[in-house]
Structure formats: C-alpha cells, structure tokens
C-alpha cells in the first residue's frame, strides 16, 4: 500500500547476482548430462571388458551360487547397515541431542537404504533425515549438523581405507592411475590424519571468509574415521563372500580394488555407481577379455547389487509403509511427513519397478521355468505377456512423474498397471520375484489415494530435463542389456518373426524393446501436441467481471489488486479461484495467495501455475503470501522467505481513548475544526470525480519526486480507480486528499491502496484519513482494517538465522538511504495493529538476488524505478 513515505518495495538498489545464460544452462543441464555420459562410458567399457561373456553364463553362476554364501553375504550386509547407524548415534551425541536408539537406527537404516541405491547420497539421505528428525523434535540446524557429521564420517572412512590399501597392497596395472597409487595413497591417508590431529593442535575454529568450522576432539574424530573404515570394510566383505572360486585373491588387495571402484562410482554421479563400479572391478581383478573369469565375476557383482542394495531397499520400503499405515489408522494422513515424502517416495519406487520390467524384458527367462510354462500355456500368451510387460514398464516410468505431481489419473493407472505387470511377469516366465515386488508396491499404494487428489490431465504434466534424461537412460540401459544378453545371436530380418518357447528369447527382447520405445515416443508426441506455449495476456473486461465475485467474497482485501488490470489472471476450469500474476525477467510472480474460497481449487491452481511456469522455462514465485497457506507452496517443493509483516487493526477494539491516542485525537479534532470532512464516494460516482482528483495526485508525485508504481501498488489509472469506491477528504469544496477503498462483501477486512494528498494541505491529513476510515469501517461492521505490509520488518539478525533473514534485518535497520523501512513500520504501529508475517515462495536452487530484482522491478515499474524511487 502506498503512503507518504513512498512506494512499498523489497529493496533499494538493483540486486546483484545476474548470471549469464551459459552458466545458467550449465547449472541446470550439466549435472544430468554428465551422469548420463558417465553411464554411457561405463556401459561401453563393460561391453569392451566383457565382450565375450554370455548372458547365460552369468545366469548359471547366479543359479549355482550356494545358499550358504548368500546367507553369509546377507549377515555381513546386516552388520554393515548396523554399523551405519553409528554415524547418526555419534552425530547426535556430538551435538548434545538424545533420541531412542531404536528410532535413530530406523532413521539411519531407511536413509542409507535409499541413498545407497538411488545415489545422490547427500540429497536423498539428507531429505529423509530432515523429515524424520524434524518430526522427532530436532531443529533444522540440528539436522544440518547431523547430516554434515555423517557425510564427513563417510568420506573420512573411505579416504582412510583407500589410502591405506593403496600404500600397503599391490595395485593391478590395469586400473586407471595405477602408476600414481603411492602419491594418491599418501594424499588420501593425510586427509583423515589431518582431521584427527586438527582437534589436538588447533582449538580455534577454521575460518574461511564468513564460514567457520569447529574441529572435533580427537576422540570424536577417531570415532568418525573408525566407523567409516569399518563400514567400507564390511561392504567389501559382502562382495568378497560372493566372489567366484576361480578368482584367487587375498582380502587386502581385493579391498584396495573395491574402494577404488566405489570411489569411481561416487565421483561419476551415476545412481549407485551403476556400470562404473562393475567396470573398475573387472579391470582391477584382471577379468577383462577372459570369459571364464568375467562371467562369474559379473554374476557375483549382480548378486552383490541384489543383496547389498535391493534387499535393504525392499526392507526399508516395508518399514516405511508399515509405519505410515499405522499413521493412517491414527488419522495422521495429513501430517507434513506423510504428505511431503510419500508421493515422491511412491514415484521413485514406481520408476524402479518400471526399470525392472524393462530389464527383465531384455533378458532370457530361466529355461526350467519356460519348460514348465510350455506344458500349460499357449505360445501366443507368453509372447503377448512378454511384450506387454515391457510396455507396462515404460508406462510406469511415465506415470511415476504423475505420482510425483499427485495426479489422480496417474494413481489409478499405476495401481492397474502394477497388478497387470505382476500377472504378465508370471505368464512370461514365472518371474514370481518381479510379481511379488509389483504386488507389494500396489498394496502399499492402495490406501494412499487421498494423497493423489489432482484431476489434471497426465498429458499436461511437465517433465523436467533431469526426469526425461532418466527415462532415456533407463531405455538406453535396456538397449545395452538386449545386445549384451544376445550378442552371440546373429541378427537378420527374419529374427523379428521367430516365435518359440526355448529359442525365441532374442526376438521377444527385440519386440519388447520396440514396443516400450513406441509407447514412450507416442506419449511424448501426444504431450507435445497438447501442450501449448503459455502466452499470458492482460485481462479483458470480461475476465475482470469473472474475477469480481471471487474478489468480493474473499476475506482478504488485497485481492482487489486484480482490478488494476496489469496482471494476467489464471482461473480454474470452474471459476472457483484465480491467480493474478505478472512476468519480470524469468520470474513469474503471483501477487498473494490464490483468490477463492474453495480449498481444492486453490490447491490445484498452485500446481497449475507451477507447471505453467515450467513449460515456459520460468521461475514460479508467490509474493506476499499468508502464513495460513504456506502448505500450498511447500507441497510443490517451493522454499519460503519472510519478506515483512502486515499490520491489521482489530476494529472492534479500535478507539481514540487513552494516553497513547492523544496525538491522533488532537489531529482529528483540529482538522474537523478547520472544516475538513471525509466522504465515501460510491463506485458509480467515482468516474465523474477523477478529473478533480488528478491535480492532487500529480502534485503529490512532483513533491515526492517519485513515479507511478504497479503490481502490488495501485496507480492513478482511471479504469482502475473507477472499479473501487473512493474516500475523499474535502476542505470546503476542494479535495485535499483521497484513497481508493478495498471493501469486500464478507465484512472481514477493509483497506486502501492508492493514497494521495496535496503537499501544501493541512498537516496530519493522512492520520485524519486513516482514523476516519477505521471508524467508518467499524460502523459498517468490518472486523479488520488492513494497513498494508511493512517490508523486511520482523526479520531476525541472529547468528543461527538464515542468510536472507540476516540480510533483510540489516537492510531494515540501516537501509534508510534506500527506503524508509523503519519509519514506515513506526508510522503504522501507532494505530496499535496486530502484526502478521508475510512470505515469498520461491523455487529451490535458484539465484535469489535475481528473483528479488525481478519482483522489485515489477513493483517499481522497471529496473530504473528500483533505484530512482
């Protein structure tokens, strides 16, 4: 709201932080492209290293693997994950927090089960820990310390084990950088040693610019290194237990190769180090070019993936589902943990299930199972089941994105396809393992229908670059697996039309691959045809008329800003709600919360607006939102910044009695004696009055040396002002001040927007206008009078506060040369309002200064207006 102090803006000078298009493109696409490139290189390397290996030989090794060795690997895996729980327990002890050990063990196990399999350990395990530990009562800062402690311990252990083995054990010359193993071992060993000695030799924290790191005590650092080293040693022991007898090697040299392979997988950023780890292990153990060694080695690596990664993932999935099923019975479905984590959790599992179906379709079923099927099943049923299971796999990859977007159609289709996929898995080769996994996911997904409430079309869902690249990567891995599995089958055109129980594996895999690819391309084509490039336009009179009933029924007076006509309007299909927004730079900025009383319509509009911005390549931003609606933005993955506080006067308690109101009483009494009076001019009479008010506005602008603003502030525009009532202060028969009114039919809140006065008018005229308006609104039955927001007020400049809060508090206290932040707050505070925080919702991982600049530019009418008032 505009007042004597000038325009309401976010900050003064143009905010820094603009980045070039090249660097922005690199940040957005560089990471996913690098991961896919490393995966492609790893698959190429595997093809070269194990080119003579038969898929059947790999399967035979898995089939012959003794149960005792598998049991030994499972026991070692359980010990390894038990050791991982010590990361969290020691971290909580270090920061002085206590939680039940069983609860800590559960959190640690679930976070590592997912992060080990999916990769991106810091992001995945950090987000899971955040959800669980916040629910357990820890603060955000405490969770950050736990994640940092665990991450440092993880890498210290890896460096210690890798460095020691490189120095003490011989290294295969076939490994990359084998000639540099001594210098590399020294560097890696020195890192944990420096960490251990740092706490003894230096009591002061390490400082780098404004960052500081307090080194742990020797005992704490020793625990970190030992736990990390034991974790890696047990992981290596799991694979060592599954190794074929043809490869004779002591555990020490094997450990050296294992940790180097794991480090290569971590550095590659490929999820789980898939392909990279296997290629380095084959090279290190000298299995390249030797089918006798490569086949059992690949079988052992596949078994290791199943035991150490997939088995804990399945157990963790069951634990999460059981835990949240109890929450359902206790009516905690709408808890932040459940609504925030489960949709992406189910989306991730659906993505994995789709990949498993595709990989299964690219490989040969077990001969004995095919023989059993041939006695009871016609060949066409097997062929159709094999083909459709791969098509379902591709469909699940696509539907996973719909689940992440909480689409109801995606939920129904996913449930249906999971059951159908389980049936086809049994019919194509009695793959009861796959069928069990799909049915378990379907049973877990079934009671969570309320989480997937959106009725939007799946074809309108946006697929991010990373998500699209993940689907392409899975399809590429499937293609590689087809060629690897049937590399000894000579290709010819007749292969596509061969049908056989025991000799039709390659034709079935080729047909299934083409079917899955066609399903993906068809969906992409339909989505491209249906998705239009959004072209927002300013609202017509008809659209403003559609919005007016929603505005009048809104409890917030701020919604009248839509009548300015300078913001595009996004309606829901049934006109139950709308969003007003404008575009500044790359930021698509919505003014306030969605307007409307229907909660489902408002919720859906936030998703629609978010997807609209994604299709246009823009950043969704919601400016000046209410704390009661923050869940709307957290649900779509946005971050929140406090931008100030809004002053609202409770009218049933407002009067001019008491010592604190003496100044206001004197001003009102004096101006009334001088002949001033306030008139409320109805909407129909405003147009004829505007020519008399225009000189008042022009004189105010000249005196303040400001120009007209916009977006969150009104301007002297005849079309806009003619849509709202007007409060005019008269002296004799001349207008000396005016303000247009925001009045709703609900009588919840009254407010003003554009306020202007004659510079040479009577002193205190704005105080007089405010008091008269509050008394008039009180007489009309309104509950609140909204004085507008005081930017940056209420932000704390504390050491533990986020950087934005500290910067905003500093600007609020010392930024008077840019804007009268503190003075505006003091002015509004003399009316004894209740202060309520206001926030800005922004997407995560963006350059915040650019967004702030875009918003300030919209309010100030351009970048020059940011610095010129």
């Amino acid at each position: 709201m505009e007042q004597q102090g000038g325009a309401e803006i976010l900050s003064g000078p143009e905010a820094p932080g603009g980045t070039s298009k090249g660097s922005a493109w690199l940040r957005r696409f560089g990471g996913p492209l690098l991961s896919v490139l490393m995966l492609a290189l790893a698959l190429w390397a595997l093809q070269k290293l194990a080119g003579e290996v038969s898929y059947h030989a790999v399967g035979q090794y898995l089939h012959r693997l003794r149960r005792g060795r598998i049991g030994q690997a499972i026991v070692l895996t359980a010990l390894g994950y038990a050791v991982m729980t010590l990361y969290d327990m020691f971290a909580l002890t270090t920061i002085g927090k206590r939680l039940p050990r069983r609860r800590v063990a559960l959190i640690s196990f679930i976070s590592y089960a997912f992060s080990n399999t999916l990769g991106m350990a810091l992001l995945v395990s950090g987000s899971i820990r955040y959800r669980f530990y916040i629910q357990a009562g820890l603060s955000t800062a405490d969770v950050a310390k736990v994640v940092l402690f665990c991450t440092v311990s993880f890498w210290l252990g890896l460096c210690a084990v890798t460095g020691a083995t490189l120095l003490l054990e011989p290294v295969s010359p076939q490994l990359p950088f084998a000639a540099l193993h001594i210098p590399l071992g020294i560097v890696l060993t020195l890192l944990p040693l420096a960490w251990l000695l740092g706490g003894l030799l230096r009591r002061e924290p390490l400082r780098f610019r404004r960052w500081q790191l307090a080194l742990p005590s020797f005992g704490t650092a020793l625990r970190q290194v030992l736990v990390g080293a034991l974790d890696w040693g047990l992981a290596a022991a799991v694979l060592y237990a599954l190794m074929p007898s043809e490869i004779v090697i002591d555990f020490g040299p094997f450990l050296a190769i294992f940790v180097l392979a794991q480090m290569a997988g971590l550095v590659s950023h490929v999820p789980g180090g898939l392909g990279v780890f296997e290629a380095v292990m084959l090279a290190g153990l000298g299995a390249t070019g030797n089918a006798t060694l490569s086949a059992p080695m690949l079988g052992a690596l596949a078994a290791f993936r199943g035991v150490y990664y997939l088995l804990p993932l399945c157990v963790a999935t069951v634990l999460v589902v059981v835990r949240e099923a109890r929450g359902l019975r206790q009516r905690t479905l709408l808890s932040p943990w459940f609504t925030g984590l489960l949709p992406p959790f189910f989306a991730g599992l659906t993505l994995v299930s789709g990949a498993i179906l595709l990989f299964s379709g690219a490989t040969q079923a077990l001969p004995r199972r095919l023989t059993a099927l041939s006695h009871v099943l016609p060949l066409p049923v097997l062929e159709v089941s094999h083909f459709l299971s791969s098509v379902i796999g591709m469909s699940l990859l696509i539907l996973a994105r719909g689940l992440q977007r909480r689409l109801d159609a995606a939920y129904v289709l996913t449930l249906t396809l999971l059951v159908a996929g389980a049936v086809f898995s049994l019919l194509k080769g009695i793959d009861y393992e796959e069928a069990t996994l799909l049915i378990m996911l379907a049973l877990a997904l079934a009671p969570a229908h309320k989480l997937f409430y959106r009725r939007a079309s799946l074809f309108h869902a946006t697929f991010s670059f990373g998500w699209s690249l993940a689907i392409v990567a899975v399809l590429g891995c499937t293609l590689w697996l087809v060629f690897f599995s049937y590399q000894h089958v000579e290709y010819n055109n007749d292969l596509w039309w061969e049908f056989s129980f025991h000799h039709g594996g390659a034709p079935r895999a080729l047909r299934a691959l083409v079917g899955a690819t066609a399903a993906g391309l068809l969906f992409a084509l339909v989505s491209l045809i249906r998705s239009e490039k959004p072209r927002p336009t300013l609202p017509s009179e008809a659209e403003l008329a559609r919005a007016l009933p929603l505005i009048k029924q809104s409890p917030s007076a701020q919604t009248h800003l839509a009548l300015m006509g300078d913001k595009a309007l996004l309606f829901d299909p049934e006109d139950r709600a709308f969003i007003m927004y404008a575009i500044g730079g790359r930021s698509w900025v919505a003014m306030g919360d969605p307007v409307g009383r229907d909660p489902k319509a408002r919720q859906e509009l936030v998703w629609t607006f978010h997807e609209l911005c994604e299709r246009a390549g823009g950043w969704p931003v919601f400016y000046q939102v209410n704390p009661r609606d923050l869940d709307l933005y957290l649900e779509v993955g946005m971050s929140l910044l406090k931008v100030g506080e809004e002053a609202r006067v409770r009218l049933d308690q407002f009067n001019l009695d008491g010592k604190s109101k003496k100044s206001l009483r004197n001003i009102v009494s004096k101006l009334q004696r001088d002949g001033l009076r306030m008139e409320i001019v109805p909407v129909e009479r405003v147009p004829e009055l505007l020519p008399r008010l225009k000189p008042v506005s022009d004189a105010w602008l000249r005196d303040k040396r400001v120009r007209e603003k916009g977006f969150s502030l009104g301007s002297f525009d005849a079309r806009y002002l003619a849509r709202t009532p007007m409060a005019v202060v008269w002296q004799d028969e001349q207008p000396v001040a005016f303000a247009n009114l925001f009045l709703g039919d609900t009588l919840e809140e009254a407010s003003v927007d554009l306020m202007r006065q004659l510079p040479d008018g009577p002193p205190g005229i704005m105080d007089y206008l405010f008091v008269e308006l509050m008394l008039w609104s009180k007489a009309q039955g309104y509950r609140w009078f909204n004085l507008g927001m005081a930017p940056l007020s209420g932000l704390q400049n504390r050491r533990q506060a986020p950087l934005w809060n500290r910067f905003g508090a500093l600007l609020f206290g010392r930024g008077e040369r840019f804007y009268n932040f503190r003075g505006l707050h003091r002015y509004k505070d003399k009316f004894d309002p209740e202060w309520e925080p206001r926030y800005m919702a922004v997407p995560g991982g963006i350059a915040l200064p650019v967004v702030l600049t875009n918003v300030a530019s919209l309010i100030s009418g351009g970048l020059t207006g940011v610095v010129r008032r």
Side-chain angles (χ1 to χ4, degrees):
M1 138 181 178
E2 191 166 336
Q3 295 188 7
Q4 289 177 329
E8 178 185 305
I9 59 174
L10 275 177
S11 59
E14 181 179 347
T19 55
S20 66
K21 291 183 178 180
S23 61
W25 186 95
L26 186 63
R27 285 197 308 270
R28 185 178 182 186
F29 303 115
L33 283 174
L34 179 62
S35 296
V36 172
L37 177 62
M38 294 300 296
L39 177 60
L41 289 174
L43 294 178
W44 173 81
L46 274 177
Q47 185 68 29
K48 291 295 183 181
L49 295 172
E52 300 301 322
V53 175
S54 166
Y55 169 77
H56 295 287
V58 176
Q60 287 175 3
Y61 177 80
L62 286 171
H63 186 66
R64 294 197 309 266
L65 197 59
R66 295 198 304 270
R67 293 181 180 179
R69 297 177 67 181
I70 296 176
Q72 183 182 358
I74 292 175
V75 171
L76 289 170
T77 298
L79 288 174
Y81 278 86
V83 168
M84 291 181 202
T85 64
L86 297 178
Y87 288 134
D88 291 71
M89 290 182 181
F90 288 153
L92 291 170
T93 301
T94 303
I95 67 173
K97 299 294 180 180
R98 287 181 174 271
L99 288 176
R101 290 191 175 184
R102 290 183 59 184
R103 191 169 194 175
V104 175
L106 176 67
I107 295 172
S108 177
F109 173 72
I110 291 175
S111 64
Y112 281 116
F114 279 93
S115 62
N116 286 347
T117 305
L118 303 179
M120 299 177 292
L122 186 61
L123 177 63
V124 175
S125 66
S127 62
I128 292 175
R129 281 190 175 96
Y130 176 80
R131 298 283 185 177
F132 271 116
Y133 281 132
I134 287 294
Q135 195 179 33
L138 269 64
S139 67
T140 303
D142 292 333
V143 178
K145 292 176 183 177
V146 170
V147 172
L148 179 61
F149 185 96
C150 295
T151 304
V152 170
S153 303
F154 174 88
W155 281 101
L156 285 174
L158 179 58
C159 290
V161 172
T162 308
T165 52
L166 286 176
L167 294 175
L168 300 176
E169 300 293 343
V171 177
S172 171
Q174 298 184 24
L175 283 173
F177 308 109
L180 300 175
H181 71 280
I182 295 298
L184 182 60
I186 292 174
V187 171
L188 292 176
T189 305
L190 286 176
L191 290 175
L193 284 177
W195 187 256
L196 285 168
L197 298 175
L200 291 175
L201 302 178
R202 184 182 176 91
R203 300 292 180 88
E204 297 285 332
L206 295 176
R207 300 182 186 275
F208 179 73
R209 295 183 180 177
R210 67 179 189 85
W211 303 98
Q212 63 178 21
L213 175 65
L215 294 175
S217 65
F218 181 82
T220 300
L222 184 61
R223 284 199 299 266
Q224 288 182 279
V225 175
L226 290 179
V227 170
L230 183 58
D231 172 22
W232 286 107
L234 286 170
V238 175
L239 179 57
Y240 192 72
L242 299 169
M243 289 293 292
S245 56
E246 294 88 343
I247 298 180
V248 180
I249 186 174
D250 292 334
F251 183 71
F254 176 82
L255 179 60
I257 299 170
F258 178 86
V259 291
L260 281 174
Q262 285 286 0
M263 186 169 284
L266 290 169
V267 173
S268 70
H269 291 289
V270 176
L274 184 65
V276 180
F277 172 73
E278 284 79 2
V280 178
M281 287 298 301
L282 284 175
L285 292 172
T288 58
N290 186 341
T292 305
L293 295 179
S294 296
M297 185 66 211
L298 286 175
L301 290 168
F304 173 72
R305 290 279 181 186
V307 172
Y308 195 77
Y309 293 107
L310 293 181
L311 182 60
L313 178 65
C314 292
V315 174
T317 301
V318 172
L319 289 175
V320 171
V321 170
V322 170
R323 183 182 186 278
E324 298 307 326
R326 293 175 180 172
L328 276 173
R329 292 197 297 268
Q330 298 168 6
R331 301 182 178 273
T332 59
L333 179 63
L334 297 180
S335 66
W337 153 254
F338 198 85
T339 57
L341 182 63
L342 280 190
F345 168 77
F346 283 126
L349 290 182
T350 302
L351 189 73
V352 172
S353 299
I356 289 175
L357 284 177
L358 285 173
F359 296 160
S360 175
T363 55
Q364 176 71 45
L366 294 176
R368 286 191 297 181
R369 297 183 184 182
L370 283 177
T371 301
L373 277 178
S374 65
H375 296 305
V376 296
L377 204 67
L379 179 60
V381 175
L382 180 141
E383 296 286 354
V384 171
S385 299
H386 193 105
F387 180 84
L388 289 181
S389 67
S390 292
V391 174
I392 289 174
M394 173 56 70
S395 302
L396 289 176
L397 297 184
I398 297 170
L399 288 172
R401 180 63 167 176
L403 291 180
Q404 189 188 43
R405 295 296 193 182
R406 293 172 170 80
L407 297 181
D408 176 72
Y411 167 83
V412 175
L413 285 173
T414 301
L415 266 184
T416 304
L417 292 184
L418 285 173
V419 176
V423 173
F424 290 139
S425 294
L426 295 174
L427 294 178
K428 73 181 178 68
I430 318 182
D431 290 328
Y432 58 86
E433 300 92 347
E434 292 174 24
T436 302
L437 178 65
L438 297 176
I439 291 297
M440 284 179 59
L441 179 56
L443 291 175
L445 187 61
H449 193 182
K450 290 183 180 180
L451 294 175
F452 305 94
Y453 52 82
R454 299 186 59 213
R455 305 287 179 176
S457 171
L458 181 63
F459 293 101
H460 287 163
T462 54
F463 283 74
S464 65
F465 179 76
W467 195 279
S468 302
L469 210 57
I471 294 177
V472 172
V474 170
L475 194 59
C477 290
T478 305
L479 176 63
W480 177 88
L481 194 55
V482 168
F483 284 103
F484 176 77
S485 302
Y486 302 102
Q487 58 185 315
H488 301 295
V489 178
E490 184 177 352
Y491 177 80
N492 60 72
N493 291 332
D494 295 335
L495 197 63
W496 295 90
W497 310 108
E498 291 183 9
F499 302 93
S500 170
F501 264 105
H502 295 288
H503 304 289
R508 277 195 290 271
L510 289 174
R511 290 190 292 265
L513 177 64
V514 171
T517 305
L521 291 177
L522 180 62
F523 178 84
L525 180 62
V526 174
S527 299
L528 287 174
I529 293 174
R530 294 196 60 177
S531 62
E532 301 177 358
K533 186 81 171 181
R535 296 179 180 177
T537 57
L538 296 181
S540 62
E541 291 296 329
E543 286 180 307
L544 292 175
R546 289 168 60 191
L548 189 59
L550 295 172
I551 294 172
K552 290 298 183 182
Q553 289 300 315
S554 173
S556 172
Q558 175 184 263
T559 58
H560 286 76
L561 290 170
L563 301 177
M564 291 169 59
D566 65 341
K567 294 174 282 292
L569 303 182
L570 176 65
F571 289 88
D572 85 302
E574 299 177 9
D575 284 358
R576 296 170 300 171
F578 72 88
I579 286 175
M580 47 179 149
Y581 68 96
I583 301 175
R586 192 179 165 186
S587 301
W588 291 47
V589 187
M591 181 61 218
D593 301 297
V595 181
R597 286 191 167 275
D598 190 312
K600 291 185 178 179
R602 299 171 75 246
Q603 192 176 43
E604 178 60 30
L605 264 181
V606 173
W607 279 102
T608 303
F609 182 71
H610 195 274
E611 292 169 351
L612 189 72
C613 297
E614 286 186 338
R615 287 200 296 272
W619 292 330
V621 180
F622 286 84
Y623 174 63
Q624 207 169 317
V625 297
N626 196 295
R628 292 183 292 274
D629 291 321
L630 297 185
D631 285 348
L632 294 176
Y633 315 108
L634 293 174
E635 195 172 53
V636 297
M638 302 182 76
S639 303
L640 297 169
L641 303 174
K642 186 176 180 180
V643 293
E645 293 180 316
E646 193 171 77
R648 302 173 74 219
V649 178
R650 189 183 291 272
L651 292 177
D652 59 358
Q653 299 177 5
F654 177 76
N655 55 60
L656 295 180
D657 300 335
K659 185 177 181 180
S660 63
K661 299 294 195 325
K662 181 179 179 180
S663 176
L664 291 176
R665 286 199 307 270
N666 292 339
I667 290 174
V668 172
S669 299
K670 180 180 182 302
L671 293 183
Q672 286 177 344
R673 290 195 301 269
D674 291 343
L676 270 69
R677 60 184 176 87
M678 186 193 73
E679 178 189 7
I680 304 297
V681 181
V683 175
E684 56 272 13
R685 286 183 47 207
V686 170
E688 65 186 50
L689 186 63
L690 290 180
R692 300 188 65 184
L693 300 180
K694 186 70 163 60
V696 177
S697 176
D698 293 342
W700 187 88
L701 290 172
R702 286 194 302 270
D703 180 70
K704 300 297 180 182
R705 297 180 182 179
V706 296
R707 65 181 191 174
E708 296 285 10
K709 307 299 181 183
F711 188 67
S712 65
L713 302 166
S715 61
F716 197 96
D717 180 273
R719 292 174 300 176
Y720 164 56
L721 295 178
R723 298 183 180 114
T724 61
M726 189 76 70
V728 181
V729 177
W730 301 88
Q731 189 171 31
D732 298 328
E733 297 303 319
Q734 295 296 322
V736 293
F738 69 90
N740 68 315
L741 303 180
F742 289 167
L743 304 174
D745 293 342
T746 62
L747 300 181
E748 177 68 19
E749 186 177 81
S751 186
V752 298
D753 180 29
L754 187 73
M755 298 183 66
R756 302 283 162 87
Q757 69 173 94
L758 285 175
D760 55 355
I765 191 170
M766 282 302 171
D767 291 346
Y768 169 80
L769 179 58
F770 269 124
V771 170
E772 290 294 306
L773 278 174
M774 290 181 197
L775 294 175
W776 178 85
S777 301
K778 180 179 180 179
Q780 299 300 312
Y782 286 91
R783 294 184 59 212
W784 299 90
F785 191 89
N786 194 322
L787 294 170
M789 189 177 73
L792 304 183
S793 67
L795 275 67
Q796 301 296 322
N797 189 12
R798 297 175 180 172
R799 177 174 296 182
Q800 299 298 329
L803 179 61
W804 161 250
N805 286 36
R806 296 166 65 183
F807 171 75
L810 180 66
L811 194 60
F812 179 82
R814 303 182 183 181
E816 296 300 309
R817 59 173 297 188
F818 305 120
Y819 181 70
N820 189 23
F821 295 107
R822 191 180 293 274
L824 179 61
H825 184 275
R826 282 197 300 263
Y827 179 82
K828 295 180 179 182
D829 202 43
K830 66 183 178 182
F831 295 98
D832 293 336
E834 295 183 14
W835 292 96
E836 190 173 78
R838 289 294 178 264
Y839 298 87
M840 180 165 62
V842 297
I846 63 171
L848 177 61
V850 178
V851 172
L852 295 177
T853 301
N854 294 154
V855 175
S857 175
L858 284 173
I859 297 172
S860 303
L863 285 176
T864 56
V866 177
V867 296
R868 290 178 49 202
R869 297 187 67 192

